[in-house]
Amino acid sequence: MTTAKIIADKNFEISEIDERIYGSFAEHMGRCIYGGIYEPNSDFSDDQGFRKDVMELVKELGVTIVRYPGGNFLSGYDWKDGIGPKENRPARLDLAWHGLESNQFGLDEFMAWANKTNIKPMMAVNLGTNGLKEALDLIEYTNVKAQSKWALERVKNGQTEPYDIKVWCLGNEMDGPWQLGHKNAKDYATLAADVARGMHQIGENLQLVACGSSNRSMPTFGTWEETVLEKTYELVDHISLHTYYEDLGDTQEFLVISTDLDYMINEVCNVADAVKAKLRSKKTITLSLDEWNVWNLSRFQAMERPKEWLPAQRVIEDEYTFKDAVVLGNLLISILRRSDRVKMACIAQLVNVIAPIRAESDRPAWRQTTFFPFAYTSRFGRGKTLMTRIEAPTINSSRFGDVPAVDSITTYDAKNKKVAVFVVNRSLTETIDTSILLSGFGNLEIADQITMSSNNWMATNNAVNPNNVEPSKNITAEVEGSYVKLKISPVSWQVINISVEETK
Ligand code: AHR
């Protein structure tokens, strides 16, 4: 049988894990908000119209921060339409998704929902059709306690204390020609710097995110980040990156696709650090991977757009397969591996729209296959990441050359005395006999082993069969001294959560 070795040592740390890497994204798109998060008059909803079953699943998913309100929707959105008495709110055209936005759910509803769901907000300002003035009004509304117009407006709308929102995205995908108000890097950078300066004059300890590239294939990838950071370096904390991955028909290539994310993260860090050097700055820019997921994008691009302007039309309600879940688990390994630089990450999106949670009005919400690796990574992947050496057979990828069949990362949660080892087997055929050497931890005891393994790579959960794919909780791994030994099936993802002794 093929063998692999994974080695981690308590003393070789990568970084503290920022819990905001377990973020998500709620856009006014399709049925993410309307019919997902918010469905007034439903038996499943509370008195504010929030789906209680969805809120429970959001908590179970372990989401820490949610980016709102978009997405491409953001670039045509006026946040002022979504506040105040609901009967006075105007319906508007949503140009991004060719829909009708009722504005019945807006900023105050989002904050009430976030509060109930115990998540932090990551707010975004429209830099497509709006600019400095609207952004300043917005942060006055959310963060200021004063006898001023927008602060008083918030009080009038029932929120006495400021929301004090700390994390703000300066626009969305401004490098993309599809974006309303798309700009070249220089023009965006000038606007983002102006807006950042103004926002810092109002808010304290804000963390601002400058728009990076919409994906690694953008012709401006790299030069965009360079130009934007040259102008905004001391004003922002994070640069964003977005990336979606799909199965283009070659399962083996799809299974190693997280290699692309590894490259992308390294490349964005390299550009940011080159700007740091040029500017002789002491500060290091960190990364906000504020849209990532598996998404059958080609299918979406080939689809006809809706003809009529209607509210909450179904858009990209992808049904995720078992193999999508394995790839998603691997993407989380990539994110954890760079926890030194990736400080926020948002699985896009949260409900219905390419989402781990699905909801229909006539039945309880359910978990997609991709729900599980996310939920268990968020639950067990806490504390610090440890350098994780992998010795494994390789797969020859036409895109990436030789890549290891096994990918893995180890986390150490000193407070709870737990080590978690996340492991994915990307081979289509080989069961791999794997030894994990954990040095420096004393006695080891397996507390949990969560495995996603199946012969049916196309299996899904859906409205009719919501529990078809579920992870196994059987403990098959065995401890032998400082080793954990297990056999990992082809096309599988798992986490082994291990109790360790307190060691000096
Ligand atoms: O998440 C769906 C869309 O993908 C977002 O609106 C946009 O930012 C990205 O292109």
Side-chain angles (χ1 to χ4, degrees):
M1 191 186 293
T2 319
T3 59
K5 195 164 176 187
I6 295 168
I7 306 163
D9 185 300
K10 185 176 172 238
N11 297 303
F12 293 98
E13 292 171 3
I14 299 176
S15 167
E16 286 284 342
I17 299 164
D18 190 320
E19 65 166 25
R20 295 174 304 175
I21 62 168
Y22 302 119
S24 188
F25 172 43
E27 176 169 6
H28 284 245
M29 175 179 180
R31 299 188 316 116
C32 180
I33 301 290
Y34 304 104
I37 286 173
Y38 181 69
E39 195 166 36
N41 307 320
S42 158
D43 287 347
F44 296 111
S45 298
D46 67 9
D47 54 354
Q48 288 180 289
F50 303 143
R51 284 277 299 239
K52 287 183 283 186
D53 52 347
V54 170
M55 283 196 286
E56 282 316 305
L57 287 183
V58 170
K59 287 181 196 161
E60 187 185 320
L61 187 62
V63 168
T64 52
I65 189 166
V66 171
R67 180 168 173 256
Y68 174 83
N72 296 342
F73 169 80
L74 171 75
S75 295
Y77 180 55
D78 189 342
W79 68 271
K80 290 172 186 164
D81 290 338
I83 57 167
K86 291 196 178 182
E87 60 278 12
N88 297 340
R89 298 185 193 177
R92 299 273 191 199
L93 297 184
D94 160 18
L95 271 54
W97 307 113
H98 204 280
L100 188 69
E101 172 54 52
S102 69
N103 281 307
Q104 294 302 293
F105 186 100
L107 174 66
D108 294 308
E109 285 77 25
F110 174 70
M111 291 306 295
W113 176 83
N115 201 19
K116 278 188 169 171
T117 323
N118 301 326
I119 53 150
K120 293 199 174 71
M122 179 193 286
M123 199 58 66
V125 298
N126 170 359
L127 297 190
T129 52
N130 280 342
L132 178 57
K133 169 78 170 60
E134 292 303 305
L136 296 185
D137 289 349
L138 173 55
I139 193 170
E140 179 185 327
Y141 186 89
T142 57
N143 284 25
V144 171
K145 191 168 187 148
Q147 297 296 308
S148 63
K149 178 177 165 63
W150 290 107
L152 287 175
E153 200 67 31
R154 182 196 67 240
V155 176
K156 204 167 90 193
N157 290 335
Q159 177 65 30
T160 319
E161 289 304 310
Y163 292 121
D164 199 21
I165 298 172
K166 293 296 183 208
V167 181
W168 294 84
C169 302
L170 303 173
N172 176 67
E173 295 191 349
M174 297 308 295
D175 62 326
W178 59 85
Q179 200 68 215
L180 264 179
H182 154 69
K183 293 172 181 48
N184 64 41
K186 215 164 138 216
D187 290 350
Y188 168 70
T190 307
L191 176 61
D194 283 346
V195 172
R197 250 178 245 113
M199 289 179 77
H200 282 305
Q201 280 179 254
I202 294 181
E204 281 168 29
N205 303 319
L206 301 182
Q207 288 199 27
L208 304 185
V209 185
C211 274
S213 293
S214 301
N215 60 68
R216 190 167 167 251
S217 316
M218 295 299 290
T220 49
F221 178 64
T223 56
W224 173 276
E225 283 79 357
E226 186 181 9
T227 308
V228 168
L229 285 176
E230 273 174 3
K231 280 204 182 259
T232 59
Y233 202 89
E234 299 301 337
L235 295 163
V236 303
D237 300 277
H238 315 274
I239 183 95
S240 75
L241 49 158
H242 290 182
T243 189
Y244 293 98
Y245 296 109
E246 68 181 313
D247 186 350
L248 292 168
D250 182 332
T251 302
Q252 185 63 84
E253 286 302 314
F254 181 51
L255 281 170
V256 298
I257 201 72
S258 64
T259 315
D260 186 81
L261 179 59
D262 297 330
Y263 283 9
M264 189 178 189
I265 292 172
N266 287 344
E267 287 157 355
V268 175
C269 288
N270 291 344
V271 175
D273 292 348
V275 177
K276 173 180 179 166
K278 266 197 215 170
L279 300 177
R280 319 279 192 276
S281 177
K282 289 198 173 70
K283 173 175 166 181
T284 299
I285 293 287
T286 50
L287 273 49
S288 175
L289 176 59
D290 46 45
E291 279 186 42
W292 70 271
N293 206 343
V294 173
W295 173 9
N296 195 330
L297 193 54
S298 314
R299 186 174 59 203
F300 171 63
Q301 281 162 346
M303 270 164 59
E304 261 190 58
R305 294 292 172 270
K307 299 235 174 344
E308 291 181 79
W309 300 95
L310 296 172
Q313 302 179 81
R314 284 177 195 273
V315 199
I316 51 171
E317 298 193 356
D318 286 18
E319 191 169 307
Y320 286 106
T321 63
F322 165 80
K323 79 180 155 180
D324 292 333
V326 172
V327 169
L328 191 129
N330 201 164
L331 292 167
L332 284 160
I333 290 174
S334 294
I335 293 169
L336 277 168
R337 186 161 36 234
R338 289 312 308 266
S339 51
D340 58 323
R341 293 300 285 269
V342 181
K343 297 297 172 187
M344 299 191 287
C346 303
I347 184 173
Q349 299 188 4
L350 185 58
V351 192
N352 287 334
V353 177
I354 45 170
I357 299 170
R358 288 278 283 104
E360 294 288 348
S361 47
D362 61 348
R363 64 195 70 210
W366 69 94
R367 305 164 186 82
Q368 294 240 46
T369 58
T370 50
F371 183 98
F372 303 107
F374 189 101
Y376 285 106
T377 306
S378 175
R379 188 179 309 172
F380 296 134
R382 299 291 174 137
K384 291 178 175 163
T385 38
L386 301 181
M387 288 163 78
T388 304
R389 183 175 159 78
I390 302 156
E391 292 169 11
T394 54
I395 289 168
N396 189 260
S397 150
S398 56
R399 212 172 137 194
F400 306 110
D402 280 347
V403 294
V406 173
D407 200 7
S408 180
I409 190 72
T410 311
T411 60
Y412 174 38
D413 179 353
K415 203 170 96 208
N416 293 306
K417 294 192 229 159
K418 288 275 170 16
V419 168
V421 188
F422 299 86
V423 189
V424 63
N425 181 354
R426 315 188 282 191
S427 164
L428 299 182
T429 50
E430 299 294 311
T431 296
I432 303 181
D433 206 354
T434 306
S435 335
I436 305 170
L437 171 59
L438 297 171
S439 29
F441 292 105
N443 279 344
L444 310 176
E445 194 185 331
I446 315 273
D448 310 88
Q449 184 179 2
I450 311 294
T451 309
M452 294 200 70
S453 143
S454 170
N455 294 328
N456 182 0
W457 302 339
M458 297 309 286
T460 62
N461 290 343
N462 54 40
V464 185
N465 201 353
N467 304 316
N468 184 38
V469 178
E470 289 199 325
S472 140
K473 295 182 181 167
N474 292 341
I475 298 184
T476 57
E478 287 174 4
V479 172
E480 283 178 27
S482 301
Y483 285 86
V484 173
K485 304 220 165 167
L486 67 159
K487 291 188 178 19
I488 50 175
S489 324
V491 193
S492 67
W493 171 93
Q494 64 185 293
V495 52
I496 306 110
N497 192 36
I498 303 148
S499 300
V500 295
E501 276 182 342
E502 199 156 18
T503 50
K504 297 266 177 298

